Amino acid sequence: MEDVVSSYSSLYDTSSLLQFCNDDSASAASSMEVTDRIASLEQRVQMQEDELQLLKSALADVVRRLNISEEQQAMQNRKGPTKARPLMPTLPLRPVVNNGTVLPKKTSGSLPSPSGARKDTSSPANKSTVKRAGSTERVGPMRRESPGDPKSSRTRTGSTSSNCSGKKTSESKPKDPVFSAEEGYVKMFLRGRPVTMYMPKDQVESYNLEAKADLPAKKLKLDWVYGYRGRDCRSNLYLLPTGETVYFIASVVVLYNVEEQLQRHYTGHNDDVKCLAVHPDKITIATGQVAGTSPDGKQLCPHVRVWDSVSLNTLHVLGMGFFDRAVTCIAFSKSNGGSNLCAVDDSNDHVLSVWDWQKEERLAEVKCSNEAVFAADFHPTDTNIIVTCGKSHLYFWTLESGSLVKKQGLFEKQEKPKFVLCVTFSENGDTITGDSSGNILVWGKGTNRISCAIQGAHEGGIFALCMLRNGTLVSGGGKDRKLVSWDGNYQKIQEVEIPESYGPVRTVAESKGECVLIGTTRNYVLQGTLYGEFNPITQGHTDELWGLAVHPSKPQFLTCGHDKHITLWDSSSHHPVWSKTIEDAAQSAGFHSSGAVVAIGTQTGRWLVLDTETKDLVTVHTDGSEQLSVMRYSPDGHFLAIGSHDNYIYIYGVSDNGRKYSRVGKCSGHSSFITHLDWSVDSQYLMSNSGDYEILYWIPSACKQVVSVEATRDIEWASCTCTLGFQVFGLWPEGSDGTDINGVCRSHEKKLLVTGDDFGKVHLFSYPCSQFRAPSHIYGGHSSHVTNVNFLHDDSYLISTGGKDMSIMQWRVV
């Protein structure tokens, strides 16, 4: 192999690049004009890029050839030596970059010759041939492997260690773990890379790798869902006759009785819910979802589910295999007992379809628009008329003999808006629209012409229209955040502004009495009147959610995310204790053992400590410039360990009950970013995991790595959040690439282990989880990667956070 590398180094010499980088002939001292110097520099930059591209191509080919050589070496070990073949003569004489362009030979006037600055030390023989024991085939010219080429499937992705066993590894079948009774370890493989995990001495003799683990005796039941999806969804908030408010987040539809403080959940969907409609009977509900991907890589089709809001049983599933990408709008017909349902998908043509949902039959379909469609609804008195609106369009559709006939809304003298954002209907059958220009337009019943216009009803777009039972029209503004009520003659009755902290109005729904429900783009659901006094009944994060920490002695937990919001929640009342906005996107959090303070890590290297009671800032520090993935206080409260994406673990001494910090140093030894940290019970040791599947041990008070296996194998750990280790290796599923598991937590009684994965699932295992592919109870609800999981201080509940679905789910342990 050394011959191969030396031959390559002689062929692709980097000295020209080094010499070029040190060449200052185009410096400010040159007599050339500024424009000439810029042109010269641009030319030189292009030449450098060419050289770098050449080096990358050469390195990729070296790696490929090394892999082939290793496989042939393995064959040689089994079959005996065969004749060596010449390697280097088959290399191309002139370098080729990725786009197929042949690089010109550099003259002395441009770049120095590759061999000009450094003499070639390899012999001619090394240039021409390389003896490779075990080679059974001729290596042809360098070329890009086609997908069907059997060689391309034999490269070992992600592995940085050589195959010492001499056996050929197969990409299709991952290696099984290996148990060494002599050394007392189990070795598992992630993406071909070995991960060695030493077990406690007292378990070596009794351990059996083939033994089967048991399912945990306890299970999880979804108790509460925090959050609401108002950021990018419309018309998804309704009040049912039962007193329950219905809305959705992630793949869960929430039925929330505000007065009784109870939630029920419809969990029939397997990915993001995007739209919701309530049947005229106020019991049947339809919800549409996006396309998804199962853990085994299979496509999950977008579809509509019709279900009973009393029993939560699914009645019908529509459009499986018909809809494309997502179902974005749905509505029940109103005048024929609600027997029809219309839906619009998110395909390029945004297909509008009409269904007899009870028979699960499609009655008609038509291409709706090339642009986004924001709303679709049946006319309240004419079942055969459907109105759709969206970017640059308002269409009136008539269902005739199994086909949909379109009439375009005529704006005539009215300036056509860029977006028609929402639609509703008056008592007499007129169609009412709100648009991006802030106008409310009334379209006469049965016509496609404007009969009345309220110019400038809002400053900026009108995101929502709601016709109340008493004939009052309510409009909700985006930019101006105003809620305006209008009488039957479209005269303004009342105007009230939603506080800025809640965000623009996304949807409006009628509630009890004179109350209305308002969903906002900042994911609040508000309850209030048309005269003001809005109270949030639910709220959530507005960007990716990663940070989660539980209070050490109270039923409280804290979440923080990329929206720069930090919220301390009470798990009993399900309401926030306090919220705070910071300057940077937050990534991680950890409570001090006293519970008096909590540390927050951000994406910029800055970290801050807040008083848990008052949310006041205690201190702020910066370590590095990359995200801080883990904030972990020691059990005795005297240290804080901070895991960073710059591969370091920063250690701080802590005093005055978490109010004073002094830097001890940083632990250096990982070759990739830090992912998880755990302290020993006595606060003397620290265990860390990194992005390249390393498990390292440290004495944090001295910032020194512990390399002795005997010194670390019997340590008792205060927590179990590391995803790699003997006590947890059974949680890894078959075929995992090592990044599938984002969060791990052990219950305080040390009998349960829970994980959150990239497929939106929460898994509950028995602890210890040290048998290969241990069985688990699996729970859905999240529609994005589950970023973090944590048991409350008394193990009564589990909290899980979703990444891009921005949801927080509270599970009761039963």
Side-chain angles (χ1 to χ4, degrees), residues 66-260:
L66 284 170
N67 288 331
I68 293 173
S69 178
E70 284 179 2
E71 292 172 2
Q72 291 166 342
Q73 179 70 40
M75 295 173 64
Q76 153 68 15
N77 291 344
R78 291 196 296 268
K79 298 180 180 179
T82 56
K83 185 178 178 182
R85 301 280 186 180
L87 168 67
M88 300 307 293
T90 61
L91 291 171
L93 296 178
R94 298 179 72 191
V96 181
V97 296
N98 283 352
N99 61 9
T101 306
V102 178
L103 294 177
K105 291 182 178 178
K106 303 294 188 292
T107 64
S108 57
S110 55
L111 278 176
S113 169
S115 59
R118 185 174 64 189
K119 294 293 182 183
D120 188 3
T121 57
S122 55
S123 66
N126 284 342
K127 283 187 184 177
S128 59
T129 61
V130 176
K131 296 201 179 250
R132 301 188 307 147
S135 174
T136 57
E137 60 185 7
R138 179 177 298 276
V139 180
M142 282 201 300
R143 59 187 175 86
R144 194 177 293 275
E145 305 273 271
S146 67
D149 192 322
K151 291 183 193 173
S152 62
S153 64
R154 294 204 300 264
T155 57
R156 301 179 302 123
T157 58
S159 175
T160 56
S161 58
S162 61
N163 185 2
C164 301
S165 66
K167 293 182 180 179
K168 179 178 174 181
T169 57
S170 170
E171 278 290 300
S172 59
K173 189 170 187 287
K175 283 186 178 181
D176 287 342
V178 177
F179 169 49
S180 170
E182 294 78 13
E183 299 292 332
Y185 67 72
V186 172
K187 183 185 293 183
M188 65 179 290
F189 298 88
L190 290 173
R191 296 182 67 180
R193 180 164 188 158
V195 180
T196 303
M197 299 160 291
Y198 288 89
M199 62 183 69
K201 283 182 183 176
D202 59 2
Q203 295 185 29
V204 175
E205 287 189 14
S206 60
Y207 184 75
N208 178 8
L209 186 61
E210 305 301 322
K212 299 298 181 184
D214 295 326
L215 280 167
K218 296 192 174 182
K219 295 184 178 181
L220 301 178
K221 180 175 175 55
L222 187 58
D223 177 71
W224 203 267
V225 178
Y226 301 81
Y228 158 74
R229 185 166 182 169
R231 181 176 51 96
D232 59 350
C233 291
R234 295 167 168 79
S235 304
N236 61 349
L237 184 63
Y238 298 94
L239 180 71
L240 302 180
T242 57
E244 293 173 309
T245 302
V246 59
Y247 55 91
F248 57 76
I249 183 170
S251 65
V252 178
V253 186
V254 181
L255 298 96
Y256 178 20
N257 190 314
V258 179
E259 291 181 0
E260 298 180 11

Side-chain angles (χ1 to χ4, degrees), residues 293-599:
T293 306
S294 66
D296 56 2
K298 293 180 180 177
Q299 283 294 112
L300 303 174
C301 296
H303 59 273
V304 172
R305 304 182 80 85
V306 183
W307 47 281
D308 186 300
S309 64
V310 177
S311 66
L312 299 181
N313 290 332
T314 302
L315 305 176
H316 300 279
V317 179
L318 309 177
M320 197 73 77
F322 171 76
F323 297 116
D324 191 17
R325 295 180 187 160
V327 182
T328 55
C329 308
I330 49 173
F332 284 103
S333 57
K334 300 171 179 65
S335 60
N336 65 346
S339 61
N340 290 353
L341 180 143
C342 69
V344 179
D345 71 9
D346 199 28
S347 63
N348 291 338
D349 293 333
H350 297 92
V351 174
L352 168 67
S353 53
V354 181
W355 303 75
D356 182 327
W357 59 269
Q358 289 166 310
K359 296 179 181 178
E360 299 183 10
E361 291 180 359
R362 189 167 67 253
L363 304 178
E365 62 182 272
V366 68
K367 171 184 172 181
C368 184
S369 172
N370 288 328
E371 304 286 359
V373 178
F374 296 147
D377 204 358
F378 281 93
H379 193 277
T381 59
D382 191 338
T383 304
N384 293 322
I385 294 180
I386 298 170
V387 180
T388 64
C389 65
K391 184 177 180 181
S392 306
H393 83 268
L394 173 69
Y395 295 145
F396 298 86
W397 303 88
T398 306
L399 181 62
E400 296 176 352
S401 306
S403 62
L404 287 159
V405 180
K406 176 175 70 176
K407 281 198 302 184
Q408 188 164 341
L410 301 177
F411 288 88
E412 298 176 320
K413 295 179 182 179
Q414 184 76 27
E415 182 181 351
K416 186 175 182 179
K418 188 172 182 180
F419 299 95
V420 180
L421 297 169
C422 52
V423 62
T424 190
F425 300 93
S426 67
E427 290 178 311
N428 64 3
D430 289 346
T431 301
I432 308 170
T433 61
D435 59 44
S436 56
S437 300
N439 304 324
I440 295 176
L441 304 179
V442 183
W443 308 76
K445 180 182 178 181
T447 73
N448 59 340
R449 296 177 183 273
I450 297 170
S451 61
C452 178
I454 309 175
Q455 301 281 4
H458 286 266
E459 180 187 348
I462 299 172
F463 284 177
L465 290 171
C466 176
M467 182 61 71
L468 304 183
R469 287 185 294 269
N470 62 8
T472 300
L473 175 68
V474 180
S475 59
K479 182 179 179 180
D480 63 8
R481 304 190 314 280
K482 288 181 179 177
L483 203 65
V484 183
S485 51
W486 311 84
D487 64 17
N489 296 318
Y490 303 108
Q491 299 299 308
K492 185 185 294 186
I493 302 173
Q494 185 71 30
E495 177 181 294
V496 62
E497 186 173 316
I498 305 295
E500 184 179 1
S501 59
Y502 297 143
V505 176
R506 173 60 81 193
T507 189
V508 178
E510 189 166 16
S511 186
K512 293 180 180 178
E514 294 185 349
C515 291
V516 290
L517 293 169
I518 302 153
T520 76
T521 60
R522 290 190 184 171
N523 296 343
Y524 281 88
V525 176
L526 308 175
Q527 191 173 43
T529 68
L530 297 175
Y531 304 98
E533 301 177 11
F534 298 102
N535 297 309
I537 63 173
T538 191
Q539 66 186 77
H541 286 270
T542 57
D543 205 345
E544 198 160 339
L545 182 57
W546 280 88
L548 171 66
V550 297
H551 195 285
S553 57
K554 294 180 181 178
Q556 296 177 348
F557 63 93
L558 181 141
T559 58
C560 56
H562 296 179
D563 58 1
K564 305 177 184 179
H565 284 284
I566 304 167
T567 304
L568 180 67
W569 304 87
D570 186 304
S571 65
S572 302
S573 68
H574 311 114
H575 290 301
V577 179
W578 52 255
S579 292
K580 187 181 183 73
T581 304
I582 60 174
E583 294 180 11
D584 303 309
Q587 185 70 27
S588 55
F591 274 96
H592 186 266
S593 56
S594 67
V597 297
V598 61

Side-chain angles (χ1 to χ4, degrees), residues 605-674:
R606 182 184 302 178
W607 57 275
L608 50 148
V609 178
L610 303 178
D611 186 293
T612 307
E613 293 294 327
T614 66
K615 71 178 179 182
D616 292 338
L617 182 66
V618 174
T619 186
V620 61
H621 295 264
T622 300
D623 286 293
S625 59
E626 299 193 42
Q627 79 175 30
L628 306 177
S629 302
V630 199
M631 307 293 290
R632 189 82 64 211
Y633 283 97
S634 62
D636 63 9
H638 293 161
F639 293 98
L640 170 64
I642 304 169
S644 172
H645 258 230
D646 64 8
N647 304 359
Y648 295 121
I649 303 168
Y650 298 93
I651 306 295
Y652 278 79
V654 183
S655 57
D656 195 14
N657 210 26
R659 297 184 177 276
K660 290 186 179 178
Y661 295 80
S662 58
R663 182 162 165 175
V664 175
K666 63 182 179 182
C667 301
S668 173
H670 276 291
S671 53
S672 186
F673 55 90
I674 312 303

